[in-house]
Amino acid sequence: MKTSVFQAAFSALRSKHAWLTVGATTIVDVLRCAPEGERILIREGTTLNSMQLICMRALDIRAEPNVRLNDGKLILQDTGNRVGVIEGLTILHWMEAAVLVSGSGGHARAPRWELRECSIMSSRRNARSATAINVHSSRHPGQDAGGSLRLVDCT
């Protein structure tokens, strides 16, 4: 019997130390429904093609070796009082930014994210991309001036 995305997401809540494991066909749904602070593991060799991975709340996401986001975008939004972490992801992109940090207006604090041991590079051989990362400012009343993204051991 196949476990649904929602059953997999919420069964991981029983143990605070467990990693929520997802495959390429369910990652978008899991990111949408995972509660703040959830730990998500993307298995080795997973390739995510031309999709937007939207993190709407602070999550702790670890990508095993050879996990690639090809010609897609990582969109990092509100984190409340926490710092969201993405670790080990390889992002290949062209023309558009690979990573966008932007508040959606849900929290008074600007989004705070950290990329650890991630690689961001052009998806076109021997060609450079124009922009890899955009951090958008927010000037809404009562909200911090803008989001932040800390890069740790990234290439």
Side-chain angles (χ1 to χ4, degrees):
M1 187 167 109
K2 193 172 186 179
T3 303
S4 75
V5 174
F6 299 106
Q7 289 170 335
F10 294 111
S11 66
L13 293 176
R14 293 185 196 130
S15 171
K16 281 293 187 186
H17 301 290
W19 285 93
L20 179 59
T21 303
V22 298
T25 58
T26 63
I27 185 69
V28 173
D29 291 331
V30 169
L31 291 177
R32 186 177 63 243
C33 71
E36 184 172 286
E38 185 64 78
R39 298 173 67 183
I40 300 170
L41 178 64
I42 306 173
R43 288 286 182 202
E44 182 174 1
T46 301
T47 300
L48 309 162
N49 290 314
S50 304
M51 62 176 58
Q52 291 188 350
L53 297 182
I54 303 172
C55 298
M56 297 182 286
R57 59 196 63 77
L59 300 169
D60 185 1
I61 301 170
R62 180 186 299 170
E64 289 185 340
N66 300 315
V67 174
R68 295 180 177 270
L69 174 59
N70 292 328
D71 289 323
K73 184 182 287 188
L74 181 60
I75 300 173
L76 306 173
Q77 295 180 341
D78 291 340
T79 55
N81 292 324
R82 297 179 178 223
V83 175
V85 177
I86 311 286
E87 184 176 347
L89 183 64
T90 298
I91 304 171
L92 302 169
H93 73 107
W94 180 251
M95 298 301 287
E96 293 188 32
V99 179
L100 173 63
V101 180
S102 176
S104 65
H107 291 284
R109 290 188 56 101
R112 296 178 300 151
W113 285 91
E114 186 173 292
L115 294 182
R116 295 181 191 156
E117 299 176 10
C118 291
S119 296
I120 303 172
M121 60 190 86
S122 173
S123 61
R124 306 297 189 266
R125 186 174 255 183
N126 299 324
R128 292 184 182 171
S129 298
T131 304
I133 299 171
N134 283 336
V135 180
H136 285 237
S137 294
S138 173
R139 298 290 181 199
H140 299 293
Q143 209 172 28
D144 288 349
S148 67
L149 179 64
R150 182 172 180 228
L151 304 175
V152 179
D153 295 327
C154 294
T155 56

